Amino acid sequence: MDQRGRDHTNRSAAGRIRPRLIQCLAAGLAATGLALALWGAGWLGTWEGRAWDMRARLLSRWDRPHPDIRLILVDQASLDWGREVGNWPWPWPREVQAAIVDYCRRAGARAVAMDILYTEPSVYGVADDAALAAALAAHGATVGAVFLGREAGGVGQWPAEIPVPDFRLKTESDGAGVPPAAVFTRATLPIPEIAAGFRYLSNVQMAPDPDGVYRRLRPFGVFDGHPLPALGLAVFLAGAEAGAPSAEAGTPSAGAGAPSAGAGTPSAGVAAPSSGVGAHSAGGDAHPVEARLAPGLLRIGQRRIPLDAGGEAIARYRGPASVYPAYNAAAVIQAEIRARDRALNGAGQADASPADAIAADLAGKYALVGYSAPGLYDLRPSPTGGVYPGVAIHATFLDNLLSDDFIRSAPPWSVIALTAALALLCSAGMAVCDRPGALAGVGLISLAAPVALAAAAYFRSLWLPLAVMELAMVGAIFGSLAVRYATEGRQKRFIKSAFAQYLSPAVIEGLIRNPDQLKLGGERRTLSIFFSDLEGFTTISEGLPPEALTDLLNTYLSAMTDIITEEGGTVDKYEGDAIIAFWNAPLPLAAHAAHCVRSALRCQRRLAQMRPALAERFGKPLHMRIGMNTGDASVGNFGSQTKFDYTMIGDAVNLAARLEGANKQFGIYTMISEATRVAAGDAFACRRLGRIAVKGREHQPVTVHEPMFREDYESRREILIRFETGLDAWVAGRFSEAGAIFSTIAEADPPAAAYAEMCAILADDPPDAWDGVWVLRTK
């Protein structure tokens, strides 16, 4: 195809794609609008929660928990131990619980948080409460639990006998107010005797997302005008004030068990990171800690806690609860009891033991005490799967605060922009691709892109909503496919139904991919052109009834058409018994001349096979004449704006038609021009028939040939060589010599007989000027 043809094809493709692109983009925008509307209305919350949980489960394995967090768990084994050694039901005597705090003090734990509510005096008496309060005060950096709520229970105002928390909340701007969800009207507090021993009281109330999974924590709650930090924040503040106390001399002796789970135990004495809060000794005068509240942010010194619209922080879970090294509460109590026994007995330094390992591991760490026994009802669903002890969720908050990597919500404007951009890119891809494989690839990439972006955002501590983007992608994909089916499906079905009987499947697919070729107009292209006609068909048709004639034509034309389409040809039209076809349009076809000639030879062979049966059915043998030429012609849709045919016009077309008729002059059935022979190359054997001037082209003679399969040529080689010798004499004007040569093979070769007759005429009346051209007087 020349440059002009290529430019036309490119313009046609652009013109075809442009309206489809606009329609698919409109479908993408509609899908985006629907997805964003559902997202904004909160209807995708459950699906987004599940998508976030999937990210947390898969990606948290690359996170590492902060090394300064330890859990002491009242697990089922601890409860069983209590019943065995002391016949203690839960709650244990508070003197026993005080042993945990004392052990943490001896080990040098930075701060201790008790995720246990002490709402009633001990059943073991006042001394029991006093023992726990003394242990808490002795450590200094301890945190107690308060449960804030809005329903019945607890008290409605802060009790005068409990000190007001040393925690102040200041707003940084007019737009930064306390979210209504952070204000509570009821509080369940510890009894005053124990509350006095804690450095901080903290809110342990947690609310799950609507699907029941705990993904968020409230950094503070406000009750009766007093803000209370969450337990994770309070233990951070207590530890920051206390610094890193040294372990008490005389490490507790053996008896405790090893950690119940977790990563490799860090070495003792790991320094806690700087908190950014002014720290002072636990024994000095405490001053209120001030938190600054800004829109979407809570500042604690240099620490920043991003908040969502409800004033909650999104926790970044590190994996299952077992990621934090945890110790059995019973084992810690036993270690403390043995340490006291050793001190009373004046024992010297004990050898290394599991208890020593626990004490060394707790040095400088934040110790959080809570429940993991199922019967104590503090197990919560988590994003990373399974259940989490409530205290481990508070540990996750502390971890995020120490590591400064809370999850932030992506700004709504960025979600809207990204969702729209992805949906439009998806729609554009679906519009410009034609092959099913390419469409499937665009769809898969479009569905994978939001997942990849959401995963990348997770590693940057950003919650990028996945459900809305995936919904927009699905909508864009199916919307674009629906547009294509609605607009192009009708066109494809029309093309297939209209041209299935005339074009090969490959040509039809080409038209489907480029339907602009069905518009009015054409292009100049080199074609190989095929004209065929049945010999004596007028006589045959006159002797047959209409039904038989129709049956004959359908049988004949079907067989010939199948061969033409198999060879990549395009059937231009049928004119009665005549077949007009061409090659190299509308789709380019390499070696189109060879395909054209092979098609003709196959048609002749197939008709020869069918001839006996057709003669028996219809009483007449059928013979077909075929003429072929290769040359430039205009091909395309010609007609009116409302009705047109895909056809060809041009001088090359007329010559092919004349060559079909020229077969009669030579008594043969297949003829090709010199242009077709050259274009076909050595694909077939040919017998040169000479130079002829057909009617209407008397001044434009053309060399013609009779093509044949090579095996046919070999079977007639001697006759064909003899014919070539006679033809040379004919061209030289030696008519008598030529006639004598042709006469020797005239009975076996119709072209030789035709030449012998013509030589006799010219020998008697030689022309004045001879150029070797046989001028045909009939079509």
Side-chain angles (χ1 to χ4, degrees):
M1 187 186 302
D2 58 17
Q3 184 62 43
R4 182 175 58 182
R6 285 191 292 271
D7 291 343
H8 173 77
T9 300
N10 292 337
R11 287 194 300 271
S12 296
R16 171 174 52 87
I17 290 175
R18 187 176 298 110
R20 185 169 72 191
L21 177 62
I22 294 173
Q23 293 168 340
C24 288
L25 289 176
L29 282 175
T32 300
L34 175 61
L36 291 174
L38 294 176
W39 174 63
W43 290 0
L44 302 181
T46 299
W47 293 103
E48 180 57 37
R50 293 176 181 174
W52 175 256
D53 296 347
M54 176 187 68
R55 275 169 276 177
R57 282 194 299 271
L58 295 177
L59 304 180
S60 63
R61 67 186 65 181
W62 282 279
D63 278 347
R64 293 293 179 267
H66 196 280
D68 289 350
I69 298 174
R70 297 294 181 268
L71 302 182
I72 299 175
L73 298 175
V74 180
D75 56 7
Q76 190 59 48
S78 298
L79 295 179
D80 294 341
W81 170 83
R83 283 192 294 267
E84 290 174 4
V85 302
N87 197 26
W88 300 324
W90 185 262
W92 290 337
R94 286 168 184 169
E95 183 180 10
V96 176
Q97 298 179 48
I100 298 174
V101 181
D102 284 340
Y103 188 81
C104 291
R105 174 177 55 81
R106 292 174 185 273
R110 176 182 291 272
V112 178
M114 303 294 289
D115 187 15
I116 300 173
L117 290 171
Y118 300 102
T119 59
E120 300 291 338
S122 172
V123 296
Y124 298 98
V126 176
D128 194 40
D129 289 329
L132 177 57
L136 296 171
H139 188 289
T142 55
V143 174
V146 174
F147 188 87
L148 299 182
R150 297 184 181 85
E151 299 176 356
V155 296
Q157 60 184 14
W158 194 269
E161 60 271 23
I162 297 179
V164 174
D166 285 340
F167 182 72
R168 297 292 181 265
L169 189 65
K170 178 182 178 181
T171 57
E172 291 188 344
S173 63
D174 293 338
V178 175
V183 178
F184 297 88
T185 58
R186 309 294 298 180
T188 302
L189 294 103
I191 61 175
E193 293 81 1
I194 293 179
F198 289 117
R199 173 65 185 92
Y200 282 100
L201 291 177
S202 64
N203 177 28
V204 296
Q205 185 269 352
M206 293 184 289
D209 284 354
D211 59 357
V213 179
Y214 288 81
R215 302 183 184 92
R216 297 169 171 84
L217 282 173
R218 195 174 303 283
F220 65 89
V222 177
F223 170 67
D224 194 24
H226 303 296
L228 270 76
L231 187 141
L233 174 55
V235 72
F236 167 80
L237 296 174
E241 293 175 0
S246 300
E248 184 177 314
T251 303
S253 60
S260 63
T265 304
S267 60
V270 177
S274 170
S275 69
V277 178
H280 61 281
S281 169
D285 294 330
H287 64 272
V289 174
E290 183 176 85
R292 291 171 292 164
L293 183 63
L297 190 67
L298 180 67
R299 300 180 189 273
I300 309 293
Q302 299 301 315
R303 304 282 174 175
R304 297 159 57 93
I305 303 176
L307 305 177
D308 63 14
E312 293 181 300
I314 304 171
R316 180 169 186 156
Y317 284 80
R318 308 299 185 187
S322 58
V323 297
Y324 297 109
Y327 299 96
N328 179 287
V332 174
I333 294 169
Q334 292 176 71
E336 174 59 17
I337 292 173
R338 289 186 173 87
R340 294 177 183 179
D341 289 343
R342 291 178 64 235
L344 289 174
N345 296 330
Q349 179 67 35
D351 295 334
S353 68
D356 298 322
I358 296 176
D361 185 42
L362 288 176
K365 306 300 191 301
Y366 297 88
L368 284 75
V369 183
Y371 308 136
S372 67
L376 300 181
Y377 305 107
D378 195 27
L379 299 177
R380 321 289 178 95
S382 72
T384 53
V387 292
Y388 248 61
V391 69
I393 298 178
H394 292 299
T396 300
F397 184 97
L398 172 62
D399 187 332
N400 294 172
L401 187 57
L402 292 170
S403 302
D404 199 20
D405 63 353
F406 280 99
I407 298 294
R408 296 169 290 115
S409 296
W413 65 264
S414 67
V415 177
I416 294 171
L418 190 56
T419 301
L422 289 174
L424 291 178
L425 285 174
C426 170
S427 298
M430 299 296 289
V432 301
C433 293
D434 286 320
R435 298 183 181 276
L439 287 171
V442 170
L444 290 175
I445 292 172
S446 298
L447 293 175
V451 176
L453 290 172
Y458 179 91
F459 287 114
R460 298 184 65 86
S461 299
L462 189 68
W463 185 334
L464 181 63
L466 178 59
V468 62
M469 293 191 292
E470 285 293 354
L471 180 59
M473 294 302 100
V474 171
I477 291 170
F478 282 98
S480 298
L481 290 176
V483 165
R484 292 181 65 126
Y485 180 81
T487 58
E488 298 176 20
R490 291 193 303 269
Q491 190 176 55
K492 290 178 180 180
R493 291 190 293 274
F494 164 75
I495 292 172
K496 285 186 176 181
S497 64
F499 295 98
Q501 303 301 318
Y502 309 100
L503 304 179
S504 68
V507 174
I508 292 175
E509 289 302 320
L511 289 175
I512 289 173
R513 288 194 296 271
N514 188 7
D516 283 347
Q517 294 179 353
L518 295 178
K519 294 180 180 178
L520 197 62
E523 60 177 318
R524 191 166 183 81
R525 186 177 289 193
T526 301
L527 303 178
S528 289
I529 305 154
F530 173 111
F531 274 77
S532 75
D533 196 13
L534 285 177
E535 183 181 47
F537 184 72
T538 301
T539 302
I540 295 173
S541 63
E542 289 174 351
L544 292 174
E547 296 80 3
L549 180 61
T550 301
D551 189 15
L552 171 62
L553 279 177
N554 287 342
T555 301
Y556 160 71
L557 293 175
S558 295
M560 302 303 106
T561 301
D562 287 345
I563 294 173
I564 291 171
T565 55
E566 285 173 10
E567 292 290 341
T570 299
V571 176
D572 184 332
K573 62 178 66 73
Y574 302 114
E575 292 183 351
D577 61 302
I579 302 174
I580 305 172
F582 51 87
W583 279 256
N584 203 39
L587 296 181
L589 179 66
H592 54 86
H595 282 282
C596 179
V597 176
R598 183 182 297 108
S599 176
L601 297 180
R602 288 182 60 194
C603 285
Q604 294 288 17
R605 181 171 287 182
R606 177 67 180 130
L607 183 58
Q609 295 169 350
M610 297 169 59
R611 191 172 294 123
L614 292 176
E616 183 178 350
R617 288 176 58 190
F618 301 105
K620 298 287 184 179
L622 296 185
H623 294 274
M624 172 176 56
R625 291 189 293 263
I626 303 174
M628 289 165 279
N629 181 38
T630 298
D632 290 346
S634 293
V635 60
N637 291 291
F638 299 96
S640 70
Q641 293 290 342
T642 57
K643 185 174 179 59
F644 49 80
D645 290 320
Y646 188 77
T647 187
M648 55 184 171
I649 57 175
D651 188 59
V653 179
N654 297 333
L655 178 57
R658 294 290 187 268
L659 295 185
E660 179 274 316
N663 281 290
K664 291 184 290 185
Q665 192 72 44
F666 292 93
I668 61 174
Y669 294 99
T670 309
M671 182 181 293
I672 65 174
S673 67
E674 173 73 8
T676 300
R677 188 198 68 79
V678 171
D682 297 330
F684 307 96
C686 287
R687 180 247 293 269
R688 180 169 62 100
L689 292 172
R691 298 181 70 215
I692 64 173
V694 298
K695 187 173 180 61
R697 291 174 52 100
E698 288 82 357
H699 302 293
Q700 296 176 287
V702 58
T703 301
V704 293
H705 303 264
E706 181 187 12
M708 60 193 74
F709 289 117
R710 293 198 178 278
E711 58 268 27
D712 295 334
Y713 182 89
E714 293 299 329
S715 67
R716 303 175 58 200
R717 174 182 285 275
E718 293 183 3
I719 293 175
L720 297 178
I721 292 175
R722 186 74 173 163
F723 179 88
E724 183 71 18
T725 303
L727 186 61
D728 289 340
W730 161 274
V731 173
R734 302 191 301 271
F735 302 116
S736 297
E737 178 185 347
I741 296 172
F742 287 132
S743 296
T744 62
I745 57 174
E747 291 185 3
D749 187 46
Y755 266 109
E757 182 180 348
M758 195 64 185
C759 285
I761 296 173
L762 294 180
D764 293 339
D765 186 15
D768 296 334
W770 179 246
D771 56 5
V773 176
W774 188 342
V775 179
L776 305 182
R777 302 303 179 185
T778 59
K779 291 184 179 180

